[in-house]
Amino acid sequence: MSRSQPNSAEAKWSGNAPMTADDGRKAPDAPGSTYPDAAQPEDEGGAQNSQRLRRLTLLLDYARPYRGRVVLAVVALVMSTIASLTLVYTLQPLIDKGFAGGQAGAVDRYFLQLFIVAMVLALATAVRFFAVTTLGERVVADLRKAVYNRVVGLHPSYFEANRPGEIVSRLTADTSVIQTVVGSSVSIALRNILTFFGGVIMLFVTNAQLMATIAIAIPLVLVPIFVLGRRVRRLSRSSQDRIADLGTLAGETLGAINVVQAFTQEDRERGRFSHSVEGAYEAARQRIWVRSLLTAVVIVLVFGAIDFVLWQGAKDVVGGTMTGGQLAAFVAYAVLVAGAAGAIAEVYGDLQRAAGASGRLRELLKAEAAITAPDDPQALPAPVSGRVSFEDVTFRYPSRPDAAALDSLSIDIAPGETVAVVGPSGAGKSTLFQLILRFFDPQTGTVRLDGLDLRALDPADLRKAVAFVPQDTVIFADSVLENVRYGRPGASDAEVERALTSARADDFIRELPDGIHTNLGERGVRLSGGQRQRLAIARALLRDAPVLLLDEATSALDSETEKAVQAALDTLMAGRTTLIIAHRLATVRAADRIVVVDKGRVIALGSHEELLAASPVYRRLADLQFATQSRAAE
């Protein structure tokens, strides 16, 4: 299974700053500070417009490797614009010398020129379309890969402050906006800007007096573009935010569809989704209305000015101060200029949306990992013996800085020893696993593997020495083979099959439609909880790591299957350092030692019998948690 691995070379990310909305305000449900370079609120003035558009420089960074394609697109764009203006330029002599002058040869010559120019226009347009569209696809593909590669290596605390659904929306919706802009809108904008200014120049050349009148109307066109354009930008941002919320809601509900249906909450979720859809529609409707109004206002003002100017031109033709060919060419240039102005007004909103999307994607690209490899990482011994030590460790989660998850905790676990960790909910059991995997670093104290401070190791090397079986099993939407091979991507099919057999998973896999090649669906929905857990155990078996972390890996199994899998786990644990978050009496009794944790401290350590006699906390846990199991075993 091809999945990106965290990039250990990424710079350190600090501050746990959440993602922000396009205007620099905190994103919904995202506590904490914003990035220092986030844009200021939109109402602070027109100076912010250029600041937002400067965010499009992100696209230039990703287009730079494809300079040849950019140059080809620009050349084709210039050629197509010149060809368009040349078509109009040919009208004046065609009318004055060919039609009005009665020169048959001139008619033939000018129509041939028109055909040649049209062929140049067609070729240049085709080249421009191909170059620009493929450039847009390429830039967006590279941008998506870069964002995903960055996000997949970020620290777990980043996802506490930023919703995964929001991140996925940025990878899809925001990049789609950029794809539209790079592959279409930028080209349209540049072409029409060239056409606009080229047409204005030709209008002056054709008749400077009439053009002076049009020049008075140009500011009347620009004012509504910028005034209404700001309103379009705000509504576009709101629309994108509503779409992101919609995707988050749908993903959350469909990911928990069993719970939704078990509690008969289908109608409630339909109502929530419908309300969210209507909110997204209303935001889009307002945006479309303002954009429609902007387009209408620009067209009315432009064509109103042209109508007035043409009225004057017609009077000049009648008065003999202007030829019919000049008026026809002037009209054609005026139409080109008006059309270009209208197109610029339309794509201006797209460019603003792309600027907002680029800003949001830039935030992801600038987010840095909190856990990184040191400049000169120490190497683990070969082979790793598996001694794990916690030395006076105190740790607080970044999202809960006032509560110590571990408080001056010390444990030394010998190589090959099996240690069960028990304690009430919130005692800090799972935090031990988080620190061993170095998802977090302690604020004080040291965690060591084979005597080496974990902070001195490359996190990738450390994690290769650890196999982890979580209680909430993670199954990817892929085949059985690739899900198990996730533990060691280079493993052969035969090694995967042996791991499945050892995990007592081969029996139900043989019954699947395509055996080990059966796709298990999203989150393994085609399997039962016990089957998913056996696949996770097979994955850990294949990992073959010296340190094993088990978050009660048999909790979802029935009694018969548990005995079979426990035998496989006994084989797996032999010779390996094993930490088990224990919830079952059999697991506790099989451990070499039991560590009782409460409020982040080790309060007792010993065997089951020793702790029953010496630890009130363990005795209470045993009475509450293990009594039923003990009676069932008897």
Side-chain angles (χ1 to χ4, degrees):
M1 193 174 345
S2 176
R3 297 184 188 273
S4 301
Q5 298 298 319
N7 183 356
S8 61
E10 290 182 4
K12 185 172 183 180
W13 174 70
S14 60
N16 193 30
M19 299 184 297
T20 62
D22 182 38
D23 61 354
R25 291 171 291 184
K26 288 176 275 189
D29 305 327
S33 61
T34 60
Y35 283 94
D37 64 339
Q40 297 302 313
E42 202 163 332
D43 293 331
E44 290 188 4
Q48 296 299 325
N49 295 337
S50 59
Q51 179 181 349
R52 291 186 185 87
L53 288 178
R54 280 198 296 271
R55 296 177 186 175
L56 293 174
T57 56
L58 174 69
L59 307 185
L60 297 179
D61 294 338
Y62 281 85
R64 192 169 290 116
Y66 310 103
R67 295 182 184 89
R69 202 173 302 181
V70 173
V71 170
L72 179 63
V74 171
V75 170
L77 177 65
V78 172
M79 288 181 62
S80 63
T81 303
I82 293 174
S84 299
L85 295 173
T86 303
L87 283 173
V88 177
Y89 182 77
T90 309
L91 283 177
Q92 179 180 341
L94 175 62
I95 294 173
D96 289 341
K97 296 180 182 179
F99 296 157
Q103 302 177 20
V107 171
D108 296 338
R109 184 170 63 255
Y110 288 123
F111 270 108
L112 178 60
Q113 290 179 5
L114 284 174
F115 180 71
I116 293 173
V117 173
M119 290 185 63
V120 173
L121 175 61
L123 178 62
T125 301
V127 171
R128 175 190 58 78
F129 175 79
F130 176 80
V132 170
T133 304
T134 55
L135 177 65
E137 295 285 350
R138 185 68 266 168
V139 165
V140 168
D142 291 349
L143 186 57
R144 281 174 175 155
K145 288 191 293 184
V147 171
Y148 183 81
N149 290 344
R150 172 70 70 169
V151 168
V152 81
L154 289 178
H155 193 249
S157 62
Y158 184 84
F159 301 96
E160 293 180 11
N162 301 286
R163 297 174 297 175
E166 170 76 8
I167 296 173
V168 171
S169 173
R170 296 189 184 198
L171 274 171
T172 53
D174 283 352
T175 52
S176 294
V177 170
I178 290 175
Q179 186 175 19
T180 299
V181 168
V182 177
S184 176
S185 298
V186 168
S187 174
I188 293 172
L190 292 176
R191 186 181 74 235
N192 283 284
I193 288 172
L194 290 176
T195 301
F196 180 84
F197 287 105
V200 168
I201 292 171
M202 294 307 298
L203 284 172
F204 272 113
V205 171
T206 304
N207 192 304
Q209 182 179 354
L210 288 181
M211 185 53 209
T213 305
I214 287 183
I216 298 174
I218 290 178
L220 298 178
V221 176
L222 296 179
V223 169
I225 289 178
F226 289 107
V227 172
L228 293 178
R230 293 180 62 196
R231 176 65 175 164
V232 169
R233 183 172 61 254
R234 286 195 294 268
L235 293 173
S236 295
R237 184 187 65 243
S238 176
S239 179
Q240 287 174 285
D241 289 343
R242 298 293 76 73
I243 292 173
D245 293 341
L246 189 66
T248 300
L249 176 60
E252 181 181 58
T253 302
L254 296 178
I257 192 64
N258 291 344
V259 175
V260 172
Q261 294 180 355
F263 285 90
T264 62
Q265 293 297 310
E266 295 93 333
D267 289 341
R268 177 177 179 272
E269 295 302 335
R270 290 187 186 109
R272 290 178 63 203
F273 187 77
S274 177
H275 179 74
S276 185
V277 168
E278 290 302 320
Y281 166 76
E282 181 60 27
R285 188 193 65 79
Q286 292 181 25
R287 171 177 57 83
I288 293 169
W289 159 247
V290 177
R291 285 194 64 179
S292 301
L293 178 62
L294 173 61
T295 302
V297 168
V298 170
I299 291 175
V300 167
L301 290 175
V302 169
F303 278 93
I306 291 174
D307 184 65
F308 176 74
V309 170
L310 291 182
W311 171 67
Q312 285 189 325
K315 292 176 64 176
D316 290 340
V317 171
V318 173
T321 59
M322 186 177 186
T323 67
Q326 285 179 316
L327 181 60
F330 193 91
V331 170
Y333 283 129
V335 169
L336 280 179
V337 170
I344 292 170
E346 283 195 40
V347 300
Y348 183 75
D350 289 337
L351 293 176
Q352 290 290 348
R353 292 179 64 202
S358 297
R360 285 186 293 272
L361 291 171
R362 190 187 292 275
E363 288 174 4
L364 291 178
L365 290 169
K366 290 178 68 175
E368 298 175 350
I371 302 298
T372 61
D375 294 334
D376 186 20
Q378 291 184 321
L380 283 168
V384 175
S385 67
R387 176 177 291 277
V388 177
S389 304
F390 288 79
E391 301 175 357
D392 198 26
V393 170
T394 296
F395 172 71
R396 293 175 174 83
Y397 284 99
S399 59
R400 302 186 297 276
D402 297 330
L406 298 178
D407 186 5
S408 302
L409 179 141
S410 296
I411 310 173
D412 185 53
I413 304 167
E417 185 179 15
T418 298
V419 173
V421 183
V422 300
S425 177
K429 303 185 295 296
S430 297
T431 303
L432 297 175
F433 285 13
Q434 299 277 329
L435 295 185
I436 292 174
L437 287 164
R438 207 187 165 207
F439 291 149
F440 298 92
D441 285 333
Q443 280 79 32
T444 61
T446 306
V447 184
R448 299 184 185 274
L449 175 60
D450 283 4
L452 298 177
D453 188 337
L454 299 191
R455 287 169 291 202
L457 304 175
D458 186 326
D461 292 340
L462 165 66
R463 291 163 190 166
K464 288 176 183 176
V466 180
F468 178 42
V469 181
Q471 184 174 4
D472 297 326
T473 305
V474 175
I475 299 295
F476 298 104
D478 210 326
S479 66
V480 173
L481 178 67
E482 295 302 330
N483 265 284
V484 176
R485 189 178 275 157
Y486 206 75
R488 183 156 52 90
S492 65
D493 291 6
E495 288 175 315
V496 172
E497 289 175 349
R498 283 196 294 271
L500 288 167
T501 300
S502 298
R504 306 304 194 269
D506 54 326
D507 54 348
F508 75 82
I509 288 173
R510 282 194 295 267
E511 298 174 0
L512 296 175
D514 298 313
I516 64 172
H517 300 288
T518 302
N519 190 292
L520 299 177
E522 188 172 358
R523 300 184 182 179
V525 293
R526 298 182 180 179
L527 301 178
S528 68
Q531 290 171 337
R532 289 196 295 270
Q533 210 154 30
R534 277 184 276 176
L535 285 190
I537 292 170
R539 186 186 293 162
L541 282 161
L542 190 66
R543 183 74 162 178
D544 194 24
V547 178
L548 181 63
L549 306 179
L550 302 176
D551 190 354
E552 192 53 85
T554 60
S555 63
L557 306 180
D558 55 72
S559 298
E560 182 178 354
T561 305
E562 180 186 0
K563 291 179 180 178
V565 174
Q566 189 61 54
L569 286 175
D570 290 341
T571 302
L572 173 63
M573 291 186 293
R576 290 180 172 82
T577 304
T578 306
L579 274 78
I580 309 173
I581 295 178
H583 302 292
R584 295 199 177 204
L585 181 63
T587 304
V588 172
R589 283 179 167 172
D592 297 323
R593 285 189 297 166
I594 302 167
V595 176
V596 184
V597 180
D598 189 22
K599 297 180 180 178
R601 293 176 174 269
V602 175
I603 61 172
L605 184 64
S607 67
H608 175 64
E609 289 74 16
E610 292 171 343
L611 293 175
L612 281 176
S615 172
V617 173
Y618 182 79
R619 190 162 52 248
R620 185 177 72 253
L621 286 172
D623 290 341
L624 295 174
Q625 195 166 343
F626 305 142
T628 302
Q629 300 171 32
S630 179
R631 286 194 295 271
E634 294 172 358

